[in-house]
């Protein structure tokens, strides 16, 4: 569990660490910080899948995976209907909410 906490901490801190270099690298730092959020999402998805495989009856992990499936399903639907503005604005906060939720699950776990 300690390894999972370390990986999650790295994944969360990576975009912020890159963004801090803004005074040195200007816009490139912000671009790479935004790009690194995909790495964060991939690492958190991998952690979530591993935890769900280890604890398939954990209701909180099932809720997390349902949220991930909902996000990607909504993203697919949005692309199929040529990007509705309402759905697009709804998609923006979901990754942040999922990241916070999984982090809370990881750090509260004993």
């Amino acid at each position: 569990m300690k390894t999972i906490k370390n990986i999650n901490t790295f994944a969360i801190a990576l975009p912020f660490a890159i963004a801090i270099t803004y005074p040195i690298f200007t816009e490139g730092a912000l671009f790479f910080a935004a790009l690194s959020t995909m790495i964060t999402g991939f690492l958190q998805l991998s952690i979530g899948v591993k935890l769900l495989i280890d604890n398939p009856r954990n209701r909180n992990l099932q809720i997390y995976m349902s949220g991930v499936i909902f996000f990607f399903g909504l993203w697919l639907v949005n692309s199929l209907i040529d990007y509705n503005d309402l759905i697009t604005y709804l998609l923006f906060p979901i990754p942040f909410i999922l990241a916070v939720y999984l982090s809370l699950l990881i750090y509260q776990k004993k």
Side-chain angles (χ1 to χ4, degrees):
M1 193 62 179
K2 184 174 176 145
T3 304
I4 289 175
K5 287 182 183 179
N6 290 338
I7 292 170
N8 189 57
T9 302
F10 170 77
I12 297 293
L14 181 64
F16 295 111
I18 295 171
I20 288 173
T21 65
Y22 175 75
I24 300 167
F25 298 111
T26 62
E27 288 81 23
L30 295 179
F31 173 74
F32 286 115
L35 198 59
S36 70
T37 59
M38 288 190 279
I39 296 169
T40 300
F42 175 74
L43 288 173
Q44 284 207 323
L45 177 65
S46 301
I47 290 169
V49 168
K50 189 233 181 276
L51 289 174
L52 188 63
I53 289 172
D54 291 345
N55 305 309
R57 299 211 185 267
N58 187 325
R59 186 75 177 142
N60 293 326
L61 293 172
Q62 292 173 351
I63 291 170
Y64 172 75
M65 280 301 160
S66 298
V68 170
I69 292 168
F70 174 74
F71 171 73
F72 284 110
L74 193 60
W75 190 12
L76 176 65
V77 167
N78 198 23
S79 69
L80 292 175
I81 62 171
D82 293 327
Y83 297 100
N84 180 312
D85 287 339
L86 178 65
I87 296 174
T88 302
Y89 293 133
L90 181 65
L91 282 171
F92 273 107
I94 294 176
F96 175 73
I97 293 167
L98 289 171
V100 169
Y101 185 68
L102 184 65
S103 295
L104 288 173
L105 292 178
I106 289 171
Y107 293 113
Q108 288 178 352
K109 197 161 188 139
K110 296 178 178 168

